[in-house]
Amino acid sequence: MLDETTSQPLEFVSVYLNTTTIGTLTNEKGEFTIPVRAGRYELIVSMVGYEPIIYPIETSRLPSAYVFKLSQQNHTLNSIQVKAKRGKEWYDNLEVFKENFLGRGELARGSKLKNPEVLIIDYNRSQGTLKVSATDLIQIENPALGYQISYLLVAFEFIIPERYVSYLGYPRYEPMTGNARRQRRWERNRLIAYQGSTMHFVRSLRQQRLEEEGYNLRRLHRSPNPDRPSDEELEEARKQLRAGGGWDMVPEHDPLRQVLSKSNLPKMIERLDTTQVPYQDYLRKDSSSVTMAFDGYFQVVYTGEKEEWDYVTSSFQRRIPTFQTSVLSLHSNSVILDELGEFIEPLNVFVEGYWSWEKVAHSLPYDYLPR
């Protein structure tokens, strides 16, 4: 590991395989070794003050050695200016970030973001967007699952009016040490986190064992609700309402009142096709990869566990927990399913429902295997 400008070796550079427990630091000569099983990985190289490197490797085509040259970051942060911005609003936005990045629920409750000072939080009030980046690896402690997580955050965005969250990063998991009782509790919680997760789903789908593993996958059809006015019509009605002096000035049978009374109707009408979808309709296999491709939406129900109570109450619904239900769609023509249990190009996969509620505190390394 060398400095690109000086060609001097760099010590204490963090090197790890993305979303695994496998990693190390470079020695005084800038050297490192990492044991890997056969497969395809992303090698992450990170050091404060340098641009990170995300390097894809495939064990069948490994050279005898790699030489990485790190380039220094172009910008430096003025720590005094950053601290000056950290008033009440910054800390309020930090809590919003933690809730939508670490997550909520039993497994997330005890998780701790140990170095929030590395975060750069940008809240755009007019657009209703919260964007977060980081100057160093985010350090996360997850005592429920027994992991210390070092997370290279590439991007985080929360579009608040739409409740849409998107984030991309490269975590490394380091197992905590503990007595036999703690180890048993961690194994139990890890199994809970694994069952019904996207990792579990991808592994089951690759093996064509969805039903056997507790999943029901069905087509979900969505169409615009003809009874709901368009967003443009609603916005125009609100402008007329404000210009006319407010809601109390509008007669009961005025068309303006009738339009606005329908604003809470759902935008889309859903219809579930209960017919089981054959694997050949959306799964493709060849000698090198397994690919999923489909149009529209899939509803995925995991019957092995019920929803957490925190998930039910987060939607302000008065109902009892039922089976974990998620909705899956693609932003691309297809997506590759890796044998480790990940979607290659994850930003091309859009999830709703239960999967969207589970965040980093519910996640596991890809080298996790249930016992």
Side-chain angles (χ1 to χ4, degrees), residues 42-239:
E42 289 174 308
L43 185 72
I44 312 302
V45 179
S46 177
M47 187 176 187
V48 178
Y50 290 85
E51 296 291 343
I53 294 175
I54 295 95
Y55 190 84
I57 61 173
E58 191 167 340
T59 56
S60 61
R61 294 197 291 261
L62 282 179
S64 58
Y66 284 103
V67 177
F68 292 102
K69 294 184 177 181
L70 275 65
S71 60
Q72 296 187 13
Q73 292 178 334
N74 297 333
H75 62 279
T76 57
L77 291 177
N78 186 319
S79 60
I80 297 178
Q81 290 179 346
V82 171
K83 289 181 181 179
K85 297 178 182 178
R86 289 179 180 166
K88 182 180 183 301
E89 182 175 327
W90 190 90
Y91 286 99
D92 289 343
N93 289 330
L94 173 62
E95 293 304 312
V96 174
F97 168 71
K98 290 195 294 186
E99 186 175 272
N100 289 278
F101 178 68
L102 296 178
R104 291 167 284 181
E106 186 176 346
L107 295 180
R109 217 172 324 270
S111 293
K112 181 180 179 182
L113 201 162
K114 298 170 65 177
N115 58 340
E117 66 276 4
V118 306
L119 299 177
I120 302 173
I121 301 177
D122 178 19
Y123 173 53
N124 189 313
R125 188 181 300 275
S126 62
Q127 297 181 4
T129 59
L130 182 70
K131 296 183 179 181
V132 180
S133 57
T135 61
D136 195 3
L137 294 173
I138 300 174
Q139 302 298 329
I140 303 165
E141 183 176 84
N142 188 345
L145 296 183
Y147 290 117
Q148 300 280 358
I149 305 172
S150 299
Y151 198 101
L152 175 61
L153 181 66
V154 175
F156 173 94
E157 183 177 22
F158 179 27
I159 304 176
I160 298 173
E162 300 177 16
R163 308 300 297 174
Y164 173 80
V165 178
S166 174
Y167 59 88
L168 178 65
Y170 302 91
R172 177 193 174 189
Y173 296 76
E174 297 181 67
M176 295 180 179
T177 57
N179 57 30
R181 182 178 178 182
R182 284 187 177 180
Q183 294 289 346
R184 288 193 297 269
R185 179 169 64 87
W186 289 335
E187 281 302 319
R188 185 167 58 250
N189 287 344
R190 289 170 188 173
L191 184 60
I192 292 172
Y194 174 74
Q195 292 175 328
S197 67
T198 56
M199 181 194 297
H200 184 200
F201 171 78
V202 170
R203 290 178 179 180
S204 302
L205 180 55
R206 278 182 55 95
Q207 299 170 5
Q208 299 188 15
R209 288 181 49 84
L210 288 183
E211 299 289 332
E212 294 88 339
E213 294 292 330
Y215 290 99
N216 290 330
L217 184 145
R218 302 292 185 266
R219 289 195 180 277
L220 181 67
H221 300 279
R222 288 177 172 174
S223 58
N225 186 350
D227 296 328
R228 185 184 188 276
S230 67
D231 290 342
E232 292 75 17
E233 290 173 314
L234 289 171
E235 182 58 31
E236 179 60 29
R238 293 187 184 102
K239 288 182 181 178

Side-chain angles (χ1 to χ4, degrees), residues 298-311:
F298 280 156
Q299 176 181 282
V300 182
V301 179
Y302 180 63
T303 62
E305 288 180 357
K306 296 291 184 67
E307 304 161 323
E308 278 195 50
W309 181 246
D310 292 83
Y311 172 75

